[in-house]
Amino acid sequence: MAKVNVDPGLRLDITCRRGDTFILNTYVNDLDGNPIDTTQFTFKTEVRTYPGSATVILAANLFSYEDGVDGMLKITVPADDMEVAAGVYAYDVQATDDVSLIVMTWLYGTFTINQDITQ
C-alpha cells in the first residue's frame, strides 16, 4: 500500500518558565535545506490545554514574530503575558504564505511551563 505524508510540521517540545520573557529563535529551511524567506509569511501560535481543546492558555495575539530572508524566525511573548499556570500544554506555529495563501503548520509539540520562584 502506498503512503504519502503531506504534514510539513516538525515536532519541537518547548520548556519555558512562568513569568519570564519567552523567546524562541529558530531557522526554517525547505526540503532541500535552503533557508525559507519568512518575510512573506504571517504567523499564528496558540497554547492550549491539549490539542483541540477550547481552552487557550496563550492566545495568538500575545505572540510577536520577527522574520528574515535567511530563514530566521524569532517568536516572543512578554513576561507579563507569561503569568499563566505552570503545566504541560500543546502548541503549534501556523504559517500562512501571504502570496499563495497556503496555510501550513511548521512547528508543534508540548509547551511545558515551569513554576517560577521570584514574583
Side-chain angles (χ1 to χ4, degrees):
M1 173 168 66
K3 292 183 180 183
V4 64
N5 181 356
V6 296
D7 182 357
L10 172 68
R11 181 172 183 127
L12 177 67
D13 295 332
I14 295 172
T15 301
C16 56
R17 186 156 305 273
R18 179 183 183 275
D20 289 358
T21 301
F22 173 82
I23 300 172
L24 174 66
N25 291 305
T26 188
Y27 288 86
V28 290
N29 298 316
D30 64 18
L31 294 175
D32 295 323
N34 301 312
I36 295 175
D37 179 356
T38 56
T39 61
Q40 71 180 35
F41 290 87
T42 302
F43 297 95
K44 180 178 172 183
T45 304
E46 290 181 347
V47 177
R48 295 179 177 267
T49 306
Y50 56 88
S53 73
T55 307
V56 176
I57 304 303
L58 292 171
N61 64 341
L62 297 179
F63 290 83
S64 64
Y65 308 91
E66 292 178 37
D67 43 28
V69 295
D70 60 352
M72 188 272 296
L73 177 62
K74 179 179 181 180
I75 304 171
T76 60
V77 179
D80 288 346
D81 292 325
M82 290 296 295
E83 292 290 341
V84 297
V88 179
Y89 304 101
Y91 85 98
D92 67 9
V93 176
Q94 197 175 69
T96 301
D97 186 313
D98 295 335
V99 176
S100 69
L101 301 181
I102 292 174
V103 178
M104 295 177 286
T105 298
W106 283 4
L107 299 172
Y108 71 94
T110 59
F111 195 91
T112 303
I113 302 174
N114 290 335
Q115 184 63 39
D116 62 341
I117 305 302
T118 303
Q119 301 291 318

